[in-house]
Amino acid sequence: MQFTLEDITADEVERRMAVYGPLADTVRDLIDAVIRTEVDETVVTEANARLTAVVESLRANQIDGAFGVRHTAEGIGMPWGNAVIGLRNAIAPPLQVLKHPDGLVTADFTLGAAYEGPPGCVHGGVCAMLLDHVLGQAGSADDVPCYTGTLKMRYLRPTRLGPLHAEAIITEREGRKKIVRGAISDADGETVTAEGVFIVPKDWAGVMPESARIPPR
Ligand SMILES: CCCCCCCC(=O)SCCNC(=O)CCNC(=O)[C@H](O)C(C)(C)COP(=O)(O)OP(=O)(O)OC[C@H]1O[C@@H](n2cnc3c(N)ncnc32)[C@H](O)[C@@H]1OP(=O)(O)O
């Protein structure tokens, strides 16, 4: 598992974000539209033909495999394929995770039709995925990255699709292990709580170069 140096300027990062962010936003909108459309089926078939052509145009030149986690020499993270926060990943909500001075990390986001499990509610696995990431970023808030070792979820009540809040913080440390706790809440309070053991890998310094220790945004 390696992080990749991409030696570009901050301006170039911004420029690329302005190109790929809107594309992923449109595809995210497309996913929602495909789930909810009630148009005539001939329109659906035509849309599929146009989309197939778009996919072909994008695949004319592409990388092998996944995007990876790239960073600039200045330490700007570009985890753009990430399933939770990836700028280029239309499957990601995407979460904008904020890091507060006391170590708390928070994210406010809205989940729509693409994240449904029980009727009108968020899929339990989606809650686990989002909390895994938010707890992971809280565990890494001291700039020493850690990986999920164990993650326990408690589903208190169904999480309705719509506006939600997630937060997490390190509550205990023991050597390379950090216990991180967090929750997803709606307007009426917590719906899912999570507790995880996050572990700094033995060889983390080799895995993540000094220049990349600023957590990905
Ligand atoms: C900044 C961005 C944040 C994003 C966060 C996103 C979170 C993620 O999704 S990470 C991906 C999912 N997680 C993974 O793929 C991790 C896969 N596992 C691993 O890489 C390794 O097993 C790893 C790093 C967790 C531990 O490996 P290693 O460093 O060799 O641990 P090891 O030396 O055996 O054990 C260290 C301590 O941790 C404990 N431990 C090891 N594995 C686990 C585990 N799975 N659960 C709980 N405790 C564990 C050991 O018991 C030991 O404890 P103690 O010091 O008290 O004896």
Side-chain angles (χ1 to χ4, degrees):
M1 194 156 43
Q2 286 293 336
F3 293 78
T4 313
L5 172 68
E6 184 149 358
D7 200 5
I8 55 175
T9 63
D11 284 349
E12 176 61 11
V13 173
E14 292 295 331
R15 195 195 63 75
R16 292 186 191 183
M17 288 172 74
V19 172
Y20 291 101
L23 174 63
D25 286 343
T26 303
V27 178
R28 206 168 281 122
D29 205 20
L30 173 67
I31 292 170
D32 187 76
V34 169
I35 295 170
R36 297 167 59 201
T37 189
E38 295 282 338
V39 298
D40 191 278
E41 287 179 5
T42 56
V43 178
V44 174
T45 305
E46 282 164 21
N48 187 33
R50 290 206 299 276
L51 289 170
T52 303
V54 170
V55 171
E56 213 169 286
S57 71
L58 293 173
R59 289 211 187 280
N61 183 6
Q62 66 174 20
I63 56 173
D64 292 330
F67 190 80
V69 180
R70 307 180 190 182
H71 63 93
T72 69
E74 299 168 70
I76 301 172
M78 292 174 281
W80 290 350
N82 184 285
V84 176
I85 59 168
L87 174 94
R88 286 175 64 156
N89 189 344
I91 292 169
L95 257 57
Q96 306 284 341
V97 181
L98 301 178
K99 198 171 114 179
H100 302 272
D102 59 356
L104 185 73
V105 303
T106 60
D108 288 288
F109 53 96
T110 297
L111 297 182
Y115 303 98
E116 185 174 51
C121 298
V122 184
H123 195 292
V126 170
C127 293
M129 177 175 77
L130 300 185
L131 280 169
D132 178 40
H133 189 92
V134 172
L135 267 66
Q137 280 213 228
S140 304
D142 50 10
D143 288 354
V144 179
C146 52
Y147 295 125
T148 319
T150 297
L151 186 62
K152 277 195 294 187
M153 317 289 302
R154 190 174 174 109
Y155 295 87
L156 306 174
R157 60 186 170 85
T159 303
R160 306 286 308 174
L161 293 169
L164 295 164
H165 172 86
E167 61 181 53
I169 192 163
I170 298 174
T171 56
E172 290 157 53
R173 295 168 192 270
E174 195 192 319
R176 285 188 288 121
K177 290 187 294 189
K178 307 176 198 183
I179 308 299
V180 185
R181 292 189 170 84
I184 291 177
S185 314
D186 62 16
D188 298 323
E190 291 180 347
T191 61
V192 188
T193 58
E195 179 187 320
V197 183
F198 288 78
I199 301 161
V200 180
K202 280 189 202 72
D203 56 349
W204 77 274
V207 172
M208 180 175 257
E210 184 76 40
S211 59
R213 288 182 195 169
I214 298 169
R217 43 188 186 172

